[in-house]
Amino acid sequence: MTAKIHSLGGYIHEYQKSIANPEAFWAEVAEDFYWHKRCDKVLEWDFEGPSIKWFSGGKLNITENIFERNLYTIGNQPALIWEPNNPDEQSRTLTYSELYLEVNRFANSLKNLGVLKGDRVAIYMPMIPELTIAMLACARIGAIHSVVFAGFSAASLADRIIDAEAKIVLTADGGFRGEKITPLKNIVDEALQSCPGVETVIVYERTKSNIKMVEGRDIWWHKAIEGQSDECVAEEMDAEDNLFILYTSGSTGKPKGIVHTTAGYMVYSAYTFHNVFQYNAGDIYFCTADIGWITGHSYIVYGPLLNGAQTLMFEGIPTWPDAGRFWDIVDKYKVNQFYTAPTAIRSLLAMGMEHITNKDLSSLKVLGTVGEPINEEAWHWYHDHIGRNRCPIVDTWWQTETGGVMISPLPGIIPTKPSFATLPLPGIQPVIVNEVGKELTGNSVKGNLCMKFPWPGMARTIWGDHDRFRQTYFSTFRNMYFTGDGAQRDEDGYYRILGRVDDVINVSGHRLGTAEIENAINAHPLVNESAVVGYPHSIKGQGIYAFVVCGELSTGGEEGIRKSIKMAVTSMIGPFARPDLIQLVPGLPKTRSGKIMRRILRKVAEGDATNLGDITTLLDEDVVVKIIDGALVEV
Ligand code: WTA
């Protein structure tokens, strides 16, 4: 890729260029790709509609830009390096040529099973190479993949399958995670009881678990690819054809199917990977995310592979067989760029130094973090003990909706500052606005983080609900994309992300809507109502604090009901959404018009009940006193 920035001067120059003439800037970046037909127009946009189109009229296929564009030069080089859950099991490496043939073969299998361009394919798979193969095979034939994180429950999987109207599901018998096996196929079976539209399930054999194959619906992966050709002509896609859907949480209960389209996402994920990680040919790059989240989509699969990089994919968890697993992997493969989440750093920090001191981490050049604000202690630990004071940390701020990194240091180029995402990448125009949408210009300001100009990687809509897309992101502040995050711009013009300003909480880097969790709790037969807020948690960043009103207690008493509420949340959403603290309360603080005053609950959960602000509009002040009395944190 030509558009690599090498110096601070280079960054400033590129940034200015990208703002002065965004169309010319992105047209130049797009030159590097292989198009059947170049675009007629680089950008058409309107944030009112909203309607955002990049590279209109362009024709291409993203997998040709991974494979055909690169095969002559790097065909024999590793594309995907896979480290299994169990360190004693053989790892796997697929070169670009090998991955290409596997993708083609599976693409033909999908076609053979009747999958057409535009069809939605739900993917519920563990972190194995076949997950990447499945995604790319969909892209090859123009089917829209919808990857569902393999930690979601049957109910959540069913919601997502139904919303996207997927008629085929790809899964595995099970997934290894440390000492446990996730029974993926059983969960799919349960989910499909409420998804009559699903005609086919393809099952990869991974754990050799005892599962039931449903006659006429289920087919083994190895049978599906049997006899399929390893040549598959790539479907010609329009620049704005949908590439994938990825569900994320919002402030209402229903998850949002964020839609990304082909050309803009391709250009943006590739450009950002190239610059943010300063990847050089031959480097080994390791992102610890799960492909079920956007980080895995953009920075395990698409970004690295579009750059011809060697991307390492890890099946297991950071703490098994012991808390040194990440560093073993870095040592084993001589990883050069390492990208993880603050929650992982905090939990490994707490495990002590003995897992690190005897590991060779000298190959590391760049360290990255993503998903939540990184506190200074974790930043310094990462910098000192993992980077050994040699590696710049890129604190990358972005979202499922942005498709790729938006605000981040460029390593070795933009000087870092602990807990600051620093400066916007070229093409990105952040603004900070106050509550009424007035832009706060100059430095040393704090407010809501918005974007005033489109970028190629931005989401185009919410699947099946364009109006929700408009309302969520484009109606709070006029003519701006609203991120839902608060941010500060300090005296140096550096950005620091302060966290969500809406009803979304960030638990171990998992984005969860409080309403989603409340819906799950409220479905419990003994619960009348509930309110969920986040509270500071030393490892998870934010923990989940649920205030619950019960009609009566069952025989198990308070403990029993807490347990059964946790079980209910696990089965409705997944174990990662389980409340950490459940306080049974006589009532919730409400205004006279019946609105729950979450502000008060947040204060209590933060352990700061001294300054509750104005509570005169409360219907029943006594409830607040009782809540404070029974608080599960020190107030
Ligand atoms: C938060 C993950 C602080 C933020 C790529 C955002 C961050 C949400 C950072 C998106 C960061 C992400 N510093 N906060 N470097 N990166 N966030 O959609 O609140 O899972 O809105 O995308 O994570 O989460 P999502």
Side-chain angles (χ1 to χ4, degrees), residues 198-502:
V198 173
E199 294 157 11
T200 311
V201 179
I202 304 184
V203 187
Y204 185 83
E205 184 170 52
R206 171 69 189 123
T207 51
K208 301 211 165 23
S209 304
N210 190 9
I211 58 162
K212 219 175 62 228
M213 294 293 276
V214 175
E215 178 95 33
R217 186 194 74 182
D218 300 352
I219 166 168
W220 287 106
W221 180 290
H222 55 269
K223 292 279 182 217
I225 61 174
E226 217 170 65
Q228 294 299 328
S229 157
D230 54 21
E231 276 174 47
C232 175
V233 176
E235 188 74 32
E236 183 174 273
M237 304 298 283
D238 195 88
E240 282 296 341
D241 276 342
N242 296 332
L243 177 65
F244 67 82
I245 305 172
L246 186 58
Y247 285 85
T248 189
S249 297
S251 40
T252 68
K254 195 172 172 325
K256 301 178 280 198
I258 299 297
V259 176
H260 284 286
T261 58
T262 304
Y265 178 82
M266 171 184 79
V267 167
Y268 198 68
S269 61
Y271 176 81
T272 52
F273 173 78
H274 192 58
N275 280 294
V276 170
F277 296 102
Q278 293 285 306
Y279 184 89
N280 288 311
D283 284 349
I284 309 277
Y285 161 86
F286 175 23
C287 168
T288 69
D290 193 288
I291 290 179
W293 308 111
I294 190 70
T295 305
H297 279 59
S298 300
Y299 299 112
I300 296 178
V301 180
Y302 287 108
L305 295 177
L306 285 161
N307 278 282
Q310 307 185 56
T311 180
L312 199 155
M313 176 176 181
F314 172 43
E315 184 183 35
I317 57 172
T319 47
W320 191 81
D322 63 45
R325 190 66 195 277
F326 280 170
W327 324 126
D328 285 333
I329 297 173
V330 169
D331 190 341
K332 175 172 173 189
Y333 297 95
K334 305 296 168 225
V335 168
N336 302 111
Q337 290 89 3
F338 177 77
Y339 193 27
T340 195
T343 187
I345 298 168
R346 286 191 299 266
S347 71
L348 297 177
L349 174 161
M351 306 270 185
M353 286 300 294
E354 71 266 25
H355 300 292
I356 306 165
T357 38
N358 56 347
K359 308 284 156 69
D360 178 8
L361 305 181
S362 62
S363 57
L364 288 170
K365 295 195 281 196
V366 177
L367 300 176
T369 84
V370 59
E372 41 169 332
I374 180 164
N375 50 311
E376 291 200 29
E377 187 195 3
W379 193 98
H380 282 294
W381 184 85
Y382 198 30
H383 191 258
D384 297 351
H385 297 297
I386 304 305
R388 306 209 165 135
N389 291 312
R390 299 177 300 104
C391 306
I393 293 180
V394 290
D395 176 356
T396 64
W397 174 84
W398 59 295
Q399 310 178 292
T400 305
E401 296 86 342
T402 70
V405 175
M406 302 284 281
I407 305 179
S408 167
L410 298 178
I413 294 170
I414 293 174
T416 56
K417 200 191 266 192
S419 80
F420 281 78
T422 75
L423 297 174
L425 296 187
I428 303 309
Q429 302 191 35
V431 282
I432 293 183
V433 303
N434 68 10
E435 320 74 72
V436 292
K438 187 174 166 305
E439 180 175 343
L440 304 175
T441 52
N443 288 341
S444 306
V445 291
K446 208 188 254 186
N448 301 297
L449 180 63
C450 295
M451 299 293 150
K452 64 175 176 191
F453 198 83
W455 61 99
M458 74 187 294
R460 302 297 196 262
T461 190
I462 290 175
W463 182 260
D465 199 348
H466 194 64
D467 195 54
R468 186 171 177 204
F469 185 62
R470 183 186 60 76
Q471 277 196 13
T472 312
Y473 306 106
F474 300 93
S475 72
T476 320
F477 304 112
R478 256 201 103 202
N479 265 321
M480 286 185 215
Y481 166 83
F482 175 41
T483 64
D485 279 318
Q488 154 198 11
R489 189 165 54 228
D490 79 350
E491 61 284 2
D492 298 323
Y494 270 22
Y495 288 86
R496 172 191 231 160
I497 308 304
L498 302 169
R500 303 289 306 195
V501 295
D502 54 8

Side-chain angles (χ1 to χ4, degrees), residues 113-144:
L113 290 163
V115 179
L116 302 172
K117 177 178 178 178
D119 283 351
R120 275 77 59 206
V121 176
I123 306 182
Y124 187 69
M125 290 183 73
M127 285 286 287
I128 54 176
E130 283 66 27
L131 168 53
T132 303
I133 292 167
M135 291 163 75
L136 297 177
C138 289
R140 188 81 180 167
I141 63 171
I144 302 167

